[in-house]
Every structure is written in C-alpha cells, then in structure tokens.
Amino acid sequence: MSTNGSNGFEPRLIGFLCRWCSYNGADLAGTSRLKYPPNMVPIKTNCSGRIDATHILKALKEGADGVLIAGCHPGDCHYINGNYRTAGRFPLTQKLLEQLGLEHGRVRLEWVSAAEGDKFARVVTEFTEQIRALGPLGWSAQFVDESVAAPAAEKEAVPA
Amino acid sequence: MAEDRIAVYFCHCGSNIAGKVDVDKVVAWAAEQPNVAIAREYKYMCSDPGQDLIKEDIQQHGINRVVVAACSPTMHEPTFRKAAAAAGLNPYLLQMANVREHCSWVTVDKGEATEKAKRILNAQIHRLPFNEALDPIEVPVNPAVLVVGGGIAGIEAALKLAATGKKVYLVEKNPSIGGHMAMFDKTFPTLDCAACILTPKMSAAGKDPNIELMAYSEVVEVDGYVGNFKVKVKKKARFVNTDTCTGCAACLETCVVRKVPSEFDQGLGKRSAIYIPFPQAVPLRATIDAEKCLTLKGKKCKQPCVTSCGPGAIDFEQKDELVELEVGAIIMATGFELWDPGQDARYGYGRLDNVITSLEFERISNASGPTNGEIVCKNGEPPKSVAILHCIGSRDLNYQEHCSRVCCMYSLKFSHLIKEHLPDTEVYELYIDMRCFGKGYEEFYRRLMDEGVHMVRGRAAEVTDLAMSPEEEGRLIVKTEDTLLGIVRRIPADMVILSSGLAPAKDAKAVSQTFGFGCSGDGFFLERHPKLEPVSTITDGIFIAGCCQYPKDIPDTVAQAGAAAAGALALVDNPTVKVEPTISYIDPEKCAGCHICVGLCPHVAIRYNEELKVAEVITAACKGCGVCVAACGSNVPQQHGYLDNQIFAEIEGAMAF
C-alpha cells in the first residue's frame, strides 16, 4: 500500500477488539457479508480494559496512522466494568497523545456489541475515511533511535 | 529454548476464503517468513484430513507452533487446539488468523483482501514465538441449576432437570408460576384448553422434591463463573407466612379493598388487596399488595383478613429477604411482554371502548375470566361483528421490524372461538400475510375459512368511531385497503381485537446486564449462535429458552426448554469443568505494593499481602480481563495469553509492510 502523500494514501490501522462484544460484532459483519475498507487489522484482547497507552503508542510507532479501541457498551461488559476503565483511561490517553503532537481523531474509542455487525462496518468505514483525511502519520520513520522507541517485543521467561 | 518451527495452514473454506484471497500467493509468501518451517493450503482445514495435516507435521516435522488462517476462532479454535493437543503440542501454542469473517467476507477487492490476509496472518506469525504453553484450569462444578422465570419454558426446563435428580431453583417474580400460558384460553391449532395442559406441569413443579420454587422473588445479583455461580435472590415480602397459609382464600372475601385491577385478568377483572392471582396458582398462597393494603399504607383498617385467617398466617411485619444460592448453571426463561398498542394512536387503544388487546380477549373468552367466558362488549351485549387486526406493532418499521410468529395463529383461534360462541357474529381477519408455518397450522387456517370467517388481506389503517352512514352510527369502523379487491373498505365492528406482537420484556436489557450476556438489536436475549447454539449465551454456563430469546409458539418454547435443560445438564453432570487459563499473575519480586490494581479489579480477585507488601492474584477468582495489567504503573501484572510482548508482536506483524 502506498503511503506517499495523502493523494492515494491508504491508512494503516490497528483495531483492538474485545473478545466478547466487538470481536463478535466484527464476526457478525463478516457473516452478514457487509463490506468495509480493508485498512484495519484487528487484534483481539479479552477486554478493552486490557489496552493501555503503550499498546497505542506501539501501534503508532510501528507505522499505524490510527488506532481504534472497541469494547462492550457501558453496562454490557463481560467483566462487570472493565470497559469503564477503558472509558476512564481514554481521555487521559488522548491528552497524552495530544501533548506528543498527535491530531485529535487518530485514536478512537467505540462501543460495538456482538449484535452490531452493521455498526462495526460503519465505524471502520468512517474511521478509515477520517484517517485518510488526516493523512499519513509517519511516526515509524521518526523512530530511528531504538533507545527512545516504544518497548519492542522481547522474549522473556514468565513465571506460571 | 528450542528453535521455533512454525507451521502455517491456510484454509480455502471452499470458496469462502479462496474466492477472494489469492491463497497460493499468501502461502508462498508465508513460507519465506522467519521461523516458518512449513506453509500449506487446504480446502477445508476443519475436516478430518485437514486436522490430520497439523497432527502429522507436529509429529513428523518437529513443528512446535501452529497458525491456522481460516474462520473466526469462535468457530474452530477449539477444533484445531484439540487436534494440536492430540499430536502432543500444547494447545495454547496454536493461534488462529481470522481471514474469513474479518477479511474475505468483508472486502470487495481481491488484491486488497489478499494483502489484508497477509497482514492478519503475519500478526500471528510474529506472535507465536511469544506464546507460552498453558494448561486449562480445572474447577469443580456445582450440580445445582437456577431457572429464572416460571412460565412454560422455565417450568419445562426445571421439570426436565429435576427428573435427572439435579437440584433446581425456580425463581419467578410474580406470586405464581404459569406465565402467559396460564392466562390463555385455548391453544392453537388443537384447541386444547391451556389450563388443562399447563396446570399439571405447574403442580408437578410445585411438588417436585428436587425443585425449590421461589415465587414472588427476583434475582438481584450474579457473580462467579461457569460451574460456580453465586446468585443473590430477593424474596419479596408477601406479608403472608407461606408455611402456614393454606390457600383457602377466606381472607380474599373479607378484604375491604376490593377494586384493584387484576394483573392476571389484564385489568378487566378486579381483585382484593390480599389476593391469589388465579385459582390454580402455584404456590397456592395469598399475597398482600403493599401498595393497596390499608394497614401497610399506614391507614386504619379493622384487618378482617387477620380475623378470617384460621392458621394466623398474616404477618404485616414481614420483610424482603435476601437469599444466596450457589449453582453450576443458569437457564433464563424470562419471557416476553405484549407490545403496548397504545403506542400507535391510529388504533384507538385506550381511547375507544371495545378496542382490546389479544391478551384481553384471551381473558374475556376464558371461562375463569372476568366475563366467565361470555364474549361480550363493554355494555354486556355480544358483538354482532368483530374485527381482528394482525401485525399490531410487528412487521412495522415504525415499531418492531420482526414478525412475532404467533399472532396469525392466535388470531385464527380467536375467530374460531367467536364463531363457536356466537355463530351469527361476523368475524373479519385483517392480515398482511397469513403465516401458518407449524404442524397442523395451515390445516387450521383452511378450517377457519370453511367456518365462514372473512379474510381481508390488508393492514388496518385506522380504527375510528366517526360514522359516515347511519349503519356505522355507534360502532367502531376499521379502515383498510383490501389488497385483493383493490378497494378501500370501511368495516363496521362492535369489537376490535388488536393482535399485538411480542416485545422483549421492558427490563430485558437490565436483566441481561445483571447476568452478563447481551441482547440482539431487536431487544431479545442474544444467543451464542443463531443456528447451532440457539439456547446458549456468550457466557459459559448460562442458557436461554422461550420467548426471552425471540417470539415463538408453545411447541417451540417447550422444545427449546428441553434443549436448554440438556445443555445445563451436560455441564452440571460433570464433577469439573475446564476454564481458560488466560488469567493474570503478579511477580512479587517486581510489585511495589501500590494498591492500584487491588481497587480496580472488577472481580475482587487481587488481594494485598500485608506480610510481603505486594499484591497477589487469587487464581480462582480472576476471570482474565487484564484491567490490572493495563493499570499498573510498573507493568508488573501480566496476563497469560495476552502478555504485552504477545500484543506488541502482533502489532509488529500487522504493521510490518
């Protein structure tokens, strides 16, 4: 995919989807054969509350032009209130990203239920267009000095 | 650590994936990726030969990590993980790349779909070296089952489970079980009397030693997980001691508050403040309506109920009681609500006399109802003409899009009952399509045509009392377009029955949130899979049956209740169940003891160890949301299966090109 200028620019997006609602909503969009742009690669977590700023920074650092976090609607969380943590954390994350010079709108939080395949398709379509309008971010090119990079995946023995 | 040898399997899924994704291209590319030892494609990976490919490669080619690019992991991850385990590989060293639901089915352009499939696959190829071998956690299963809702679905499920010897708690919010079916007069198409076929089951449920009936009770809190739910049930105060009350009904006759609209009779009949909803109620016990009782309202009353009660069962001091239950499985059978036709002013419900709902007609035609089964208008006269209006609040984009599935048939049943009681009365059925899909249903429709019922194909536009001719004077006029004749008609009627659709219960959303599963767009409870798991929910151990899932008739409800009971039994008949090991852990060497995670954990699964001054995860209580992982300032808690490194590696893979 070309990333040269906003002319013909195809955004590269990461979508963090919670396993119970939004991932299933994305599945339903597929089962219903709804069509949406191919720009976003979904990454599954159990709960949207698992996602913190480092995951977003990591995605942007690796070349994502935008990041979507999608979780269960308020009150629907499989883990009682994990999504409230997401909702509480999100404005702070946005502020942090703003201080780093990121345009508002590159990171988006949405509630998508397992029954909302149509909403999932609409959100991805809208978000893709939104990022297309903002143009490429190009953070990956700026991280030449690996010592200041977001943490890279390292293999490490973990206790059971 | 041994060298990572990843095998990639790319499923065609017939043409579902291969029709959009250039499989050969992706597989050739995958074979070149770091750590990938084998890359194969196959028409149907979920088939036995497909699974055998994985097993052979693990056993013969030293494969120690596997990625299957195919459908959603919700479909076949268990299939492939089982295959891997059978070949001796830890199942958590297998990942799925969802290239069907998230790629081939949703992408228009073949080239774009192929590129997206590569990125989705690459994320998993990058992730796999970071996967750890995990073992499912085996937890004990409580053999008791909770059934919520005492309509025909709940009763049937409870009876089936009790017959296997399992302990069943049957919770019903009303003073008696029986649900909507207990209100019906006859049942289509066989015209069995609803009470005659239901009351034996109600009675059996009330007497079964394995069923603990908790009527006039509501679930207020649910905690725990599959096999180990902890449920708080509020037993509402009846102000009557149910152990001593005999259900003799003497108090009912003496109560001075006598004009309370009866819920059971849809407000058409009256009851007293102390009441038994209907004669066959189970449990047959009196209940005092706290909002109507003079004594409970703090007003003066001679309390004739107390003096008339032989066993002295009246207890004005009774309080709501919280009961805690422990069960292994839960069956939701909370039913439906009739769609309120007052929402559509065109039909005049609530404004025009003798415009009634279908449930009101059930009570009118019922021999134990407010008119003793006489089909009469408000003035006590039998109607000379009755119009039955189908699809009120159903198949209507303004209200509910869905078809309620039972209204055509119950409307035909009404026609038959009217013709039986009042042979000279004209009956009009105003329908959009006549949907008679069940066993004996079409035959019943034909029978009704022979009985002389007027079938008018057209949705009713309006019910009015504005007469335009002398013969319309003082009557109801139903305006409709008769689409078979191609004319607009004004049909005079003395009684209009609104065949209201079935709506989700008003508290369905709140109930689904209490129990932790979802609702579909129409507001009914969401099933795990619409075809293959229609009685399961996304929450393991919680099943659904009857009209809380979607409108359905009695035969389908009973069948679904049996399926839900079987699902629950298949779970609670085992001593243990395996749960996902994707839970959190805290390295005590790294934890600074700041307490942040302790307060955030939704399941109270983190405790602070005062001695070591660190936080600890209570393994049995952790459900694996990962909130603690995200919250820790020092990145100490980690979650098995969703380690930071695994997520970072997925991101790297997805963004590698």
Side-chain angles (χ1 to χ4, degrees), chain A:
Chain A
M1 284 174 198
S2 157
T3 51
N4 302 326
S6 37
N7 235 352
F9 160 61
E10 282 300 333
R12 299 162 78 215
L13 309 173
I14 288 285
F16 295 108
L17 312 182
C18 88
R19 166 191 180 171
W20 301 99
C21 293
S22 304
Y23 195 91
N24 284 329
D27 277 1
L28 181 61
T31 316
S32 315
R33 311 297 200 275
L34 303 175
K35 298 290 182 275
Y36 57 84
N39 304 55
M40 196 186 80
V41 177
I43 291 179
K44 183 177 72 161
T45 57
N46 272 359
C47 178
S48 60
R50 170 71 184 88
I51 298 304
D52 64 40
T54 60
H55 303 114
I56 298 167
L57 287 168
K58 172 73 178 173
L60 299 173
K61 182 252 169 183
E62 291 300 327
D65 302 298
V67 175
L68 173 75
I69 303 167
C72 307
H73 283 270
D76 284 358
C77 183
H78 192 77
Y79 304 100
I80 303 174
N81 57 16
N83 55 353
Y84 290 138
R85 307 298 174 211
T86 315
R89 207 175 279 142
F90 189 69
L92 289 174
T93 310
Q94 272 187 315
K95 197 158 198 174
L96 168 79
L97 294 170
E98 251 168 58
Q99 286 166 351
L100 290 173
L102 201 78
E103 302 98 320
H104 200 78
R106 288 224 183 247
V107 179
R108 181 163 168 166
L109 173 65
E110 287 283 350
W111 309 130
V112 178
S113 84
E116 292 176 329
D118 54 341
K119 181 172 181 186
F120 183 81
R122 194 175 70 238
V123 163
V124 178
T125 306
E126 273 175 24
F127 191 49
T128 307
E129 289 318 308
Q130 190 179 328
I131 300 299
R132 199 190 301 280
L134 284 172
L137 179 63
W139 271 18
S140 53
Q142 295 177 30
F143 282 95
V144 279
D145 180 0
E146 281 295 324
S147 63
V148 296
E154 271 175 31
K155 213 163 178 179
E156 148 183 36
V158 286

Side-chain angles (χ1 to χ4, degrees), chain B residues 436-623:
Chain B
C436 308
F437 54 86
K439 185 173 183 178
Y441 292 8
E442 182 70 19
E443 294 89 327
F444 189 71
Y445 171 40
R446 292 195 168 275
R447 173 177 166 187
L448 263 290
M449 285 197 283
D450 290 340
E451 288 180 9
V453 175
H454 305 287
M455 303 291 176
V456 181
R457 202 186 91 178
R459 184 197 275 274
E462 191 185 356
V463 180
T464 177
D465 57 352
L466 287 176
M468 285 178 70
S469 63
E471 59 267 30
E472 289 183 359
E473 220 44 77
R475 306 184 79 184
L476 296 166
I477 316 300
V478 182
K479 296 203 276 191
T480 186
E481 181 190 356
D482 187 325
T483 57
L484 292 179
L485 295 178
I487 55 166
V488 174
R489 292 177 68 174
R490 293 172 62 87
I491 298 171
D494 304 308
M495 177 187 275
V496 171
I497 304 171
L498 302 177
S499 293
S500 253
L502 274 51
K506 282 188 189 66
D507 59 356
K509 182 81 193 163
V511 170
S512 78
Q513 291 178 346
T514 302
F515 284 85
F517 54 85
C519 289
S520 37
D522 50 24
F524 292 99
F525 291 165
L526 181 66
E527 61 288 314
R528 192 174 197 137
H529 190 278
K531 293 166 194 78
L532 299 180
E533 295 202 69
V535 300
S536 304
T537 65
I538 58 160
T539 301
D540 286 339
I542 302 188
F543 302 87
I544 46 177
C547 288
C548 62
Q549 185 256 347
Y550 194 72
K552 55 179 66 74
D553 54 18
I554 295 167
D556 285 3
T557 296
V558 171
Q560 216 181 38
L569 183 65
L571 167 64
V572 300
D573 208 34
N574 293 299
T576 58
V577 63
K578 284 180 177 166
V579 297
E580 289 273 309
T582 50
I583 59 168
S584 294
Y585 67 91
I586 292 173
D587 185 347
E589 296 292 316
K590 292 181 184 166
C591 176
C594 76
H595 279 81
I596 278 189
C597 57
V598 178
L600 285 178
C601 177
H603 301 285
V604 206
I606 303 181
R607 70 175 156 226
Y608 185 70
N609 185 324
E610 291 289 348
E611 214 166 287
L612 298 175
K613 307 255 182 278
V614 294
E616 288 175 346
V617 176
I618 307 162
T619 308
C622 176
K623 289 194 184 176

